[in-house]
Every structure is written in C-alpha cells, then in structure tokens.
Amino acid sequence: MTNVISIQLEALCIRPEEPIYVQLPVPELVEHAVKQNQGTLTDSGALSFATGKFTGRSPESRFIVKDEFTFDQVNWGKVNKGMTVELFDQLHDRVSRYLSKIPLYIRSVQACNHQVYAQQVLVVCERPVQSHFVDNMFIETDIQKQERIDWSVLVASDLQLEDYEELGLPTSHCVAVDLTRQLILIIGTAYTGEIKKGVFSALNYLLPLKHNVLTMHCSANVGKDNDTALFFGLSGTGKTTLSSDEGRYLIGDDEHGWADNEIFNFEGGCYAKGIGLTHQHEPQIFNAIKFGALIENAKFKPGTREIDYNDISITENLRVSYPLEFIENTSDKSCCNAPKHIFFLSADAFGVLPPISKLTPEQAMFYFINGYTAKVAGTEMGVKTPTATFSACFGAAFLPLHPMRYAEMLKQRLENHQDIQVWLVNTGWVAGPYGVGRRIQLAYTRQLIRSAMENVIGEAGYEVHPIFDLQMPRECPGVPSELLNPKRVWANQEGYVEMAEKLKGMFEENYVQYVKLEEA
C-alpha cells in the first residue's frame, strides 16, 4: 500500500483491523469471489454474481450534502435531495468504523481519459466482485506514481441503518454524496451501478462548474475519417448496442465530456444491459463476455454454465461489465474530435415517432431537454399501457446542476460547430403502439444511422411530419421506404393521428417548465 493511499485511509478514519487487499489483479479477485461463494464462472469464462436485494439504483435514497458551497449551485428537489453536513458526518463515522473491522478490497483508479481533467478515485469496498467491477469500469492507474486522490468512494454494502427513521432517512440503505469534500458513501446496497453513477454524478458537478466541460450521458464512436458520433439515450434505448459498430471505433458506451473541440470518455469499461443478448444481433458485446467480464443477476440454463439472457426472473436489469478493450473495434485515442453527428435515441412505445428524422438546432434543444423514451407494460409494477418518460438531457437522475445549465452548454457548442447534424431516432415501435405494432428491427436502425453518417440518407429528399414538424427522409438504402413515415404502416390511420397528438401534447407539457425558467 502506497503512502498516498495510507494517508487517505487515515483521513477517512479507516484504520483496518482485518486484511486489506490493494489493487489485486483480476484473476486473484475472481479466486476470492469463487472461494467466498460470491460468484460462479460461466462457460465463457466470465464471472456471474448476484447483487442481492437491490438489482438497480435506489433514487429515493440518494442524497447530496447541502452546505455553503452547494446551496446555490445544486438543483435541489426530487432528484437531488439535500442532506445536512451533520447527518453525513454521522453516516461517515458509522461507515468508517464498519469498514475498519472487516477485510477490505481497495482500488485506486482514474475517471476521465484526459490529461487535464483526469480525476483520481479511491474505492474502498468489502467484496472482491465490487473491486473487480471498479477495475472493469474505470481507467487503470499506476499507484506507485500516484501523487493525489481526488475522490473517495466507501462501499459498505452489508451495513444496514436500522435506526434510519430516527435519522430522517426513508430506508435502511442510502447513497450520500459530499461534493465539497469529494466523498461518496454507499450504504446497504450491493448494486455495483451505484459506484459508477455516484462518480458520474460527481463529475457532472465538478467539470461544468470548474472547467466548462459539458458532461454527457451518451455513448460515442469515431470513424476512420475521425468523424465522431454521439448517442444519447435512456436505459434500454440502444446506446451501447448502436455505438458498438463493426465499421467504427468505440470511444465509450455511456459517459463522456465535451471540452471545446474534443470528446473524451469518463470510463475504461462498458456496462451493458444483457436481457435478450445474442451473438447474432450484438456480436461485439456477446464476444466481450469472457474471462475478466462480470455478469450481474443472471441465471444459468438448466444443467449448464451457460447464461440464459432471456430469463428475467431475478431482474430485467441484467447487466454485463467488461473492460473497453474487450470490444474489438475500440479507439486507441484518449480524445476525439467534436462530433459530426449526434443521435437522440428514444424507444417510442407509442409507435408514432419516425425511425429517423433530421432536427433543426431549435428542435435539437427541444428534444434534448425533454429526454424522451417510454416504458412498456411489464417493465414496472402497475404499468399496463405505454408510459412516456422524460429525463432532462437524457440523464436527469445524475445531474446535480439545473438541466438548463447543460442544455445551454450544448447550445453553445452547436452554435460553435454549425456543421454538426442532430438526429432523432426511434428505436422503439412501428406499425402501432406496444402490444399492437412491432419493435423496429435493429438492422434497420443500424442502417439508418450508418446512412446518416455517410451522408447518403435523404438523397431523395425529405417530407415534413404534419404533427411533429420533423424532417423524415423519403428513402434510405437498405430500409423499406414505407417505414420512414410512421403513419403509413399503421392500419388505423385515425388512431395514429390521435396517438401522435397525444404524445406531442406530453412533449409540450413537459417542456413548458423549462421555457418558464428561461423567461424568468
């Protein structure tokens, strides 16, 4: 253990009484996990493990410390709930005492693949699979040359706050983020995504405020001609799948920064949804699930060590994580050019948005601030019909600042780079809403995006959608032309107009809150 790490542990009031494992290589972490019955090797060599009670994030139990520095900066409300300094200190004391008495897995990593904006992150956790996840998801660093630690993440996943009601907390688990002291506490939940998103939330505060870097919940890839593309979208819309394209080089699958004229990845790995995964449709992701990869909350096919990617009995949020280099076509550059194309991905379960449409700069801002997708029946308790979901900037759950801060930064960049084309892509349903229509074929969506980036889409011109005022290409190579105007493939034409008007009204109702803010 280096002096830097020792000094940081002391500053965090962690004084280990049990063995500590610092920067263990992945094979040893796998051995520890298997010996402790925390994981099982699959037929592909990946390690399968369960996160226990929590198979997703717990937004209702996430808090940010409200102090003299964050008071006027953070967008306080339902997403960013405030916690007092005193309560955070109390929780920190409990976590430090808890972690001091158990074996620890400690890993120092880097967030932000950029020489100027790199952040050194120390993660202290109690399970080998958590340290393995951190190794997969962040950027490797040479701890012997390390001079500082910027952020610390303490993961006490088996600590329960039995007196949570007395503390004024809604549950016995919580995630608490102190943006001033740059410390994140994860208590009572073993869902590894809390580590990743905790750091992402911190970067969404630090980088825009101090460095004028636009932080983005998007994937990114680059072509052979150094033409960068960004893919914004909420969970399940296809960010990871569509950015993993055999003809292009992957920069990253989820979190990026845009500093002036360059794009850089925050992470060193990918964290992809695995439900329905097949080699046929997503060969790059499927092939990445080998030794060194992790599979969360999956089940084996009976009598085998083969993962059943269609089994949702544990969760629909089945996840796989793996280092970025496990994807064959990965960019070897730490930074890439400003984008030529930006794609907003929406899984429209109402089935009324075009498969692809070209946006004006004004429309780009409208759809960015709305951040639309749709939930379908069965994905959540009580959801019987398609339900619109709006998440500002396609990532409101992780934005400490007001969404308009990020939107204005995007607007400035679009104005500075007027050759950028923004597209709205419907990765959801066509020929009717969920339950009536069908989900658009992935092959068609890939072809639409490729054609857009190759500037061969719309050569036959565009037609304007009469309700959404979107420009829809009349033709696209390799895609049936009747699909490009969604109304044409609906059997019930009146039903289409009614559903489209309904969704348009939802967009406008959601957007008005941001218009009022701008006017104020």
Side-chain angles (χ1 to χ4, degrees):
M1 185 164 58
T2 65
N3 285 339
V4 173
I5 293 177
S6 296
I7 292 170
Q8 186 68 7
L9 289 180
E10 180 65 28
L12 294 168
C13 299
I14 297 175
R15 303 175 180 90
E17 300 175 8
E18 296 291 330
I20 60 173
Y21 304 96
V22 180
Q23 224 78 355
L24 282 191
V26 165
E28 287 189 55
L29 290 171
V30 171
E31 285 182 356
H32 281 229
V34 172
K35 286 180 180 178
Q36 297 173 24
N37 294 319
Q38 291 184 17
T40 306
L41 286 172
T42 70
D43 62 347
S44 71
L47 183 69
S48 175
F49 73 101
T51 60
K53 177 181 178 181
F54 298 101
T55 59
R57 292 182 303 104
S58 301
E60 78 285 355
S61 299
R62 172 186 173 273
F63 299 87
I64 295 176
V65 174
K66 184 181 288 189
D67 59 25
E68 59 180 318
F69 300 103
T70 60
F71 183 83
D72 292 328
Q73 296 290 354
V74 171
N75 180 38
W76 303 108
K78 185 178 180 181
V79 172
N80 298 312
K81 297 179 289 297
M83 172 179 284
T84 65
V85 174
E86 292 74 20
L87 178 54
F88 185 89
D89 287 343
Q90 188 175 350
L91 295 176
H92 180 203
D93 178 65
R94 293 194 191 188
V95 169
S96 297
R97 285 190 283 111
Y98 173 81
L99 292 177
S100 294
K101 297 180 181 300
I102 62 173
L104 297 178
Y105 293 85
I106 297 173
R107 190 155 228 99
S108 183
V109 291
Q110 178 180 313
C112 299
N113 195 6
H114 195 284
Q115 191 171 7
V116 175
Y117 308 115
Q119 298 291 300
Q120 304 304 319
V121 182
L122 182 70
V123 184
V124 181
C125 47
E126 57 180 299
R127 299 187 185 183
V129 290
Q130 294 163 344
S131 189
H132 187 169
F133 175 82
V134 171
D135 183 73
N136 278 359
M137 293 308 304
F138 293 93
I139 301 163
E140 185 178 357
T141 189
D142 185 348
I143 63 172
Q144 300 304 323
K145 297 179 180 179
Q146 190 172 25
E147 297 179 350
R148 72 182 197 277
I149 291 171
D150 299 304
W151 296 84
S152 297
V153 184
L154 306 184
V155 186
S157 49
D158 290 339
L159 173 64
Q160 297 294 315
L161 303 171
E162 303 296 347
D163 59 341
Y164 68 90
E165 291 180 331
E166 296 175 25
L167 296 171
L169 295 172
T171 60
S172 61
H173 66 284
C174 79
V175 176
V177 182
D178 189 325
L179 294 168
T180 301
R181 287 180 282 186
Q182 302 189 167
L183 173 60
I184 300 170
L185 307 177
I186 299 174
I187 304 171
T189 171
Y191 178 62
T192 55
E194 296 284 17
I195 302 172
K196 165 187 161 70
K197 292 305 184 184
V199 174
F200 183 40
S201 297
L203 296 175
N204 283 334
Y205 176 82
L206 173 76
L207 295 180
L209 274 182
K210 293 192 176 182
H211 302 288
N212 194 34
V213 171
L214 171 59
T215 53
M216 305 176 293
H217 185 211
C218 70
S219 60
N221 63 26
V222 63
K224 295 176 182 178
D225 296 327
N226 293 320
D227 56 315
T228 305
L230 304 181
F231 301 80
F232 287 85
L234 302 175
S235 180
T237 56
K239 290 195 314 297
T240 301
T241 298
L242 293 168
S243 58
S244 300
D245 190 305
E246 294 177 359
R248 295 174 65 82
Y249 300 100
L250 181 68
I251 302 171
D253 85 323
D254 197 47
E255 300 166 4
H256 292 82
W258 186 345
D260 297 325
N261 297 318
E262 54 188 8
I263 302 294
F264 62 94
N265 190 8
F266 289 170
E267 302 178 298
C270 299
Y271 193 44
K273 292 194 82 169
I275 288 296
L277 182 66
T278 65
H279 183 274
Q280 178 185 356
H281 290 111
E282 298 172 86
Q284 290 200 331
I285 296 174
F286 192 90
N287 290 336
I289 305 174
K290 55 188 178 182
F291 183 81
L294 290 171
I295 306 173
E296 293 183 13
N297 301 315
K299 283 195 170 182
F300 293 116
K301 293 181 178 179
T304 75
R305 289 289 183 91
E306 181 182 354
I307 294 294
D308 186 347
Y309 290 107
N310 294 311
D311 190 327
I312 60 173
S313 58
I314 297 178
T315 179
E316 292 191 7
N317 192 35
L318 188 160
R319 292 275 178 174
V320 294
S321 74
Y322 44 86
L324 198 59
E325 60 266 23
F326 279 20
I327 294 291
E328 293 177 7
N329 290 2
T330 300
S331 174
D332 58 1
K333 300 177 181 178
S334 60
C335 298
C336 293
N337 295 334
K340 290 292 184 184
H341 296 274
I342 297 176
F343 298 93
F344 296 157
L345 309 177
S346 297
D348 176 29
F350 297 95
V352 294
L353 289 181
I356 194 169
S357 47
K358 185 164 66 171
L359 303 182
T360 65
E362 294 75 18
Q363 288 174 327
M365 297 308 300
F366 178 83
Y367 285 99
F368 181 66
I369 202 66
N370 271 313
Y372 164 72
T373 193
K375 297 175 184 176
V376 298
T379 59
E380 288 191 8
M381 294 295 292
V383 178
K384 304 298 183 183
T385 59
T387 304
T389 299
F390 297 103
S391 182
C393 310
F394 294 96
F398 321 116
L399 304 181
L401 308 179
H402 196 282
M404 287 305 297
R405 296 282 289 271
Y406 307 93
E408 284 298 323
M409 294 180 77
L410 177 62
K411 181 180 179 181
Q412 291 169 6
R413 283 155 176 74
L414 293 179
E415 290 173 349
N416 293 339
H417 302 272
Q418 296 188 12
D419 59 338
I420 298 174
Q421 181 57 60
V422 185
W423 306 84
L424 179 65
V425 178
N426 175 16
T427 62
W429 277 256
V430 294
Y434 174 83
V436 177
R438 60 186 184 278
R439 192 145 193 186
I440 189 169
Q441 292 183 32
L442 176 60
Y444 288 152
T445 302
R446 282 199 186 279
Q447 184 59 35
L448 288 166
I449 288 174
R450 287 170 180 164
S451 297
M453 290 190 286
E454 293 167 2
N455 298 314
V456 297
I457 198 171
E459 290 183 331
Y462 290 82
E463 58 181 311
V464 177
H465 194 286
I467 297 172
F468 294 105
D469 198 33
L470 296 168
Q471 296 184 70
M472 305 176 294
R474 297 182 186 277
E475 293 181 2
C476 176
V479 179
S481 58
E482 64 270 15
L483 277 181
L484 300 178
N485 184 331
K487 184 179 179 181
R488 292 197 193 117
V489 289
W490 271 58
N492 182 352
Q493 298 284 291
E494 292 181 357
Y496 174 84
V497 172
E498 181 181 349
M499 190 70 80
E501 292 282 8
K502 177 181 177 181
L503 182 58
K504 181 186 178 184
M506 293 179 187
F507 273 116
E508 292 173 346
E509 182 180 353
N510 183 69
Y511 187 71
V512 71
Q513 61 184 303
Y514 302 106
V515 174
K516 289 179 178 178
L517 180 71
E518 281 189 295
E519 291 174 347

